[in-house]
Amino acid sequence: MARTLTLSFSCPDTSGIVAEVSAFVAGHKGWITEASQHTEHELSRFFMRVEIRAEYLDFPVGEFARRFAPLAKKFAMDWKVSDSAQPRRVVLLCSKQEHCLYDLLARHVAQDFPFVVPCVISNHEDHRKIVEAHGIPFHFVPVTPETKHAAFRKMEQVFRDAQADLIVLARYMQVLDEPMCRDFAGKIINIHHSFLPSFAGAKPYHQAHRRGVKLIGATCHFVTPDLDEGPIVEQDVIRIDHSDTPEDMAHLGKDIEKVVLARGLRAVVEDRVLLAGNKTVIFR
Amino acid sequence: MARTLTLSFSCPDTSGIVAEVSAFVAGHKGWITEASQHTEHELSRFFMRVEIRAEYLDFPVGEFARRFAPLAKKFAMDWKVSDSAQPRRVVLLCSKQEHCLYDLLARHVAQDFPFVVPCVISNHEDHRKIVEAHGIPFHFVPVTPETKHAAFRKMEQVFRDAQADLIVLARYMQVLDEPMCRDFAGKIINIHHSFLPSFAGAKPYHQAHRRGVKLIGATCHFVTPDLDEGPIVEQDVIRIDHSDTPEDMAHLGKDIEKVVLARGLRAVVEDRVLLAGNKTVIFR
Amino acid sequence: MARTLTLSFSCPDTSGIVAEVSAFVAGHKGWITEASQHTEHELSRFFMRVEIRAEYLDFPVGEFARRFAPLAKKFAMDWKVSDSAQPRRVVLLCSKQEHCLYDLLARHVAQDFPFVVPCVISNHEDHRKIVEAHGIPFHFVPVTPETKHAAFRKMEQVFRDAQADLIVLARYMQVLDEPMCRDFAGKIINIHHSFLPSFAGAKPYHQAHRRGVKLIGATCHFVTPDLDEGPIVEQDVIRIDHSDTPEDMAHLGKDIEKVVLARGLRAVVEDRVLLAGNKTVIFR
Amino acid sequence: MARTLTLSFSCPDTSGIVAEVSAFVAGHKGWITEASQHTEHELSRFFMRVEIRAEYLDFPVGEFARRFAPLAKKFAMDWKVSDSAQPRRVVLLCSKQEHCLYDLLARHVAQDFPFVVPCVISNHEDHRKIVEAHGIPFHFVPVTPETKHAAFRKMEQVFRDAQADLIVLARYMQVLDEPMCRDFAGKIINIHHSFLPSFAGAKPYHQAHRRGVKLIGATCHFVTPDLDEGPIVEQDVIRIDHSDTPEDMAHLGKDIEKVVLARGLRAVVEDRVLLAGNKTVIFR
């Protein structure tokens, strides 16, 4: 894999943005291998993502941010640049269910997309053995109604020690408290086992069974203080029928939960997800 | 196509139902070509659908109902038997949008599944020419806030004159009133352009756009006095992305609206749909 | 809808293409509303598609081609520019099956995407009435083994008279001869009722039934002299099971045939399809 | 979960089969909770699957086979009966890729469907640690061109020692030899990373890339001496585009490979798969 820089930004919409950005890259011998753009008309805001082959640049890779800053300032960009040589650090949180955890561990082993797992945190001991068999530290942080806030403060310390870029709730069954949602805004993604906005909250498969829907879904979204209301990153559904109980749905639903979470994580890790209010722009 | 009888019923669950029904059919030389069953445990209710080749029966086809009645009574069945020689009479209602209408007309011409269209009713004149080119009578029944109830009474008369078994709202843009919903309960199906229960009511694509979902859906359901709350027959979804406006969704959504409606209609016409409270049992 | 120009091209890959193209557009006050690019590494070839709001350009729209030509020449582009004010002229060919024809007529009436149907050609009279009810001329051109080549020459004359940009085989059941494939290369798209390359040639549903596949497919592709071997534009599948006969598949398959053909046609009409050898680059 | 017996059979088609089978069950107070049937007209063969609640039978569960035998003989059935109290013993074979292995291990831990893994066999040592962390024995059986047949004989011994009901090739990268295919006919399922019959044999993703298809697939099938030609159990596809390299496809394809394999395994384990020549009847 060639080393790449990924520049992503949004800014007030105006003409000439693409031209100036590509001129900047071309002017430094950079090679754009992928470029996507979008205008959110209601917000009058422009979004762009560019992948650049690092090796051809006429200055050291580490200087990109400093050199690009004036252009970013000119267009009032909310921007970031990532280096493929520094893969994201993703802390996984899980409870008793194993399907999302195993799925992400398999992708990590195979490096289907570039990410590092500095540690796994769980409120149960069940998966310690498997996690440690991968050489990944496992932190058991029990959560009870009384200890909840202290537990979350402890977990936040683990995030910081691990220098986490992202936190993934891989079927983690505790509702995060407001300080954590706020302090790590835009850095926590969750998988909810329904096709939101249907069946938010508890026991979505029971809700789906009661309504008699013919498809069940899963939604990967950013975590905000408003439960299950954060910006949606990815969704998918599978077919069920009248004979499926909520327990059957829970088994069948795993197949989309893990895939939707993984696709969502990949998009975030690859800087393909930009926030536009409570919505997401996702560049394929 | 061989002539078939389709027996469908539900009744309180107990043992021996399948045995007695199949013994009845076998005792009269009947040949069961398809059979499906389901138990709805919460309701303690048993559902069954059986297709029987008519030609082998040792009595005239028309006598089936009379001869089966004692068994139906014994098990307290809610039941019906249909004869493939008498295809269902399906009245179509449409407004300005043409995709569902054209789709059903094409299926009618091809007889993808057996149904007759005695007439089409619309609150607009737009599709008269096309409907009449198929040799199907077209009734223009305008609906205004003032004339609404009178218009619906007139349409009910058309249903009765047409000896309609079913009424299909093929993107018909008026909300039926309560008398019509009540008098034709279980006989009217609608296509709603969202994945219910999400985005019930008006302008579902605008609602979907606002929430930033990654899939949009369509739902075929029975019409009840509670708007968009009736038993669901069929649903499906398609992928969209951040670049799709509500207008784009409206165009893209047509591809599932028409397919979901047609699949729902087919299932109803073939007696594959049995009601179980506010849910449906659908035998494939 | 705002008037737009769509520029699409491919050329030998090198650095600076995007920068010069966007500088050209920006230099003339143009507003790029959509841009996509791709490099086909095996061919060392670069592909791009740009949508430009016409109203802001500082020269008359009609001069775009002349003014862009020097840049196109510099990069040895294979290029074209289209004006949304001049929708594509699409001749439809059909035989007895109606689903694709009806589907495209409904999209044409609704203008789901911009295209004009100057006429319909068929080797059967079945659909004359419906086509003419839309105010579209219908040409009956019978094809027999003896008259085949003469018939195709006659159809070519109709294409020319109609100033057709594109020809769509909407389940047209005759194999085009080589002169027609050659003279209208890149201008004819077909819908084949299998997931190519499986089940090319005759009776794909019978082939699928024999092999016992669990999904059936449809493929929209450009027509070339090699039957069912042309560049693929779009594909999709639906689930079947052991109980489906080839006739059932033929009924079920219609739902994907028409959708795949329509999506393929839309992509071609919107200049989203660029040829890369025997493959296609398709910009969403 | 209530204890159930699952009776599945095929036999020459005639009338009265369903009636006699259900009378037998009802006559012994059995409760049929699920029943499915199918006639394969080309083979004049009837297929049926029945689930029976064991607790209500008026004889010990273990006697079912002996008591049912006369009826089975009368109709010349090819039949079997399974007891939910004796879950299937499934030996997993894998090589270096981990996605199918991890996925099946997660399902095993969760008991999404009832199966036991007596051991895992691999021609590589990579996954020993993870497998053993689950308390499952791991057998390393290297395979080289010279030792191939001896290795397969050794593996067969492991199958027998493990009393395996089924063998699953979870992306096992060696082609089984004919004696193994023959001796374990109907007991080995494989996952092939293409939508068969397209792209059989080696490097299917490279083949798919060359042809420019828009979807890639995976197929779960029984292993026979004819490579990739055995009866198909399950298939699915996912969308790709022009920008995906064969390596990208290999990453993306994992998501359907593991799901298709798991769905196929589940159907086999639950006796939902009956062989009909080189095809399968699969009761949902």
Side-chain angles (χ1 to χ4, degrees), chain D residues 93-96 120-126 128 138-156 158 172-177 180:
Chain D
L93 270 64
C94 65
S95 291
K96 293 205 158 193
V120 171
I121 303 176
S122 181
N123 56 333
H124 294 280
E125 282 281 17
D126 303 53
R128 175 182 293 280
F138 180 91
H139 300 279
F140 170 53
V141 183
V143 177
T144 63
E146 300 75 39
T147 66
K148 185 162 180 161
H149 295 288
F152 287 159
R153 298 298 80 72
K154 185 173 168 192
M155 287 160 65
E156 289 173 2
V158 177
Y172 182 68
M173 300 304 281
Q174 295 290 331
V175 178
L176 306 190
D177 65 0
M180 187 180 275

Side-chain angles (χ1 to χ4, degrees), chain A residues 1 17-18 41 47 51 66 68 74 142 146 173 190 192 211-212 226-227 244 253 257:
Chain A
M1 289 287 292
I17 307 170
V18 176
H41 293 289
F47 298 77
E51 276 191 26
R66 188 178 58 75
F68 185 74
K74 172 177 174 185
E146 300 75 39
M173 300 304 281
N190 181 44
H192 182 76
R211 182 61 185 94
D226 297 313
L227 189 66
D244 291 308
E257 292 168 24

